[in-house]
């Protein structure tokens, strides 16, 4: 059986990076995020999800990845990543194309969108948690 190697477009097909070094194309449907939350793609144990999102408004939720770090790369626009700290939130400005940061494992984070923006995410997805933004 031949393997589908692409090409794919990150806007409609995300990449799942598996522990054995392989990658799987995951078509983005209207129910993708709901399916992911419901476990339709499995647990993502020791796996990463590569996605892109475009934002016109602030993120409505905080998120946290308890099993690994997340890399956030600004492709276009201008956002402020807000990292929750016990001593007060830390704000990291991503203003130029290609700027990126690593969100530490277990760190709650959200974003303010200062201009329409597109962001690339590489996420350790197992066990991701969400809660309402309160800022």
């Amino acid at each position: 059986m031949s393997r589908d190697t692409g090409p794919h477009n990150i806007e409609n097909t995300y990449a799942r990076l598996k522990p054995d070094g392989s990658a799987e194309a995951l078509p983005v449907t209207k129910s993708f995020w709901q399916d992911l939350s419901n476990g339709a793609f499995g647990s993502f144990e020791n796996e990463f999800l590569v996605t892109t999102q475009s934002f016109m408004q602030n993120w409505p939720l905080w998120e946290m990845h308890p099993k690994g770090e997340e890399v956030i790369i600004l492709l276009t626009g201008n956002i402020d990543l807000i990292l929750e700290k016990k001593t007060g939130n830390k704000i990291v400005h991503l203003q130029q194309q290609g700027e990126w940061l690593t969100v530490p494992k277990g760190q709650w984070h959200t974003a303010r969108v200062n201009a329409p923006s597109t962001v690339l995410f590489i996420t350790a997805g197992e066990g991701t948690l969400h809660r309402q933004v309160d800022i």
Side-chain angles (χ1 to χ4, degrees), residues 100-116:
W100 65 279
L101 79 149
T102 301
V103 177
K105 177 172 92 172
Q107 178 78 67
W108 284 100
H109 56 287
T110 191
R112 282 193 298 244
V113 178
N114 302 315

Side-chain angles (χ1 to χ4, degrees), residues 42-74:
S43 71
F44 273 82
E45 184 178 357
N46 297 315
E47 297 180 350
F48 289 85
L49 183 62
V50 181
T51 65
T52 188
Q53 294 285 314
S54 293
F55 301 97
M56 302 290 286
Q57 299 176 339
N58 296 343
W59 295 6
L61 300 172
W62 288 91
E63 69 174 15
M64 188 264 285
H65 311 288
K67 301 289 185 169
E69 297 180 330
E70 179 175 49
V71 175
I72 299 176
I73 305 164
L74 182 68

Side-chain angles (χ1 to χ4, degrees), residues 2-77:
S2 67
R3 182 166 161 73
D4 175 17
T5 60
H8 301 286
N9 185 311
I10 193 67
E11 292 181 10
N12 58 32
T13 306
Y14 295 154
R16 177 184 200 158
L17 306 180
K18 297 183 175 187
D20 66 2
S22 66
E24 176 185 0
L26 296 176
V28 179
T29 63
K30 289 183 181 186
S31 65
F32 179 85
W33 293 107
Q34 184 68 36
D35 294 344
L36 181 68
S37 294
N38 292 336
F41 302 113
S43 71
F44 273 82
E45 184 178 357
N46 297 315
E47 297 180 350
F48 289 85
L49 183 62
V50 181
T51 65
T52 188
Q53 294 285 314
S54 293
F55 301 97
M56 302 290 286
Q57 299 176 339
N58 296 343
W59 295 6
L61 300 172
W62 288 91
E63 69 174 15
M64 188 264 285
H65 311 288
K67 301 289 185 169
E69 297 180 330
E70 179 175 49
V71 175
I72 299 176
I73 305 164
L74 182 68
L75 300 178
T76 64

Side-chain angles (χ1 to χ4, degrees), residues 81-85 88-90 92 101 103 107-109:
L81 267 295
I82 303 165
L83 307 176
E84 184 179 67
K85 303 277 188 180
N89 294 337
K90 177 180 178 181
V92 179
L101 79 149
V103 177
Q107 178 78 67
W108 284 100
H109 56 287

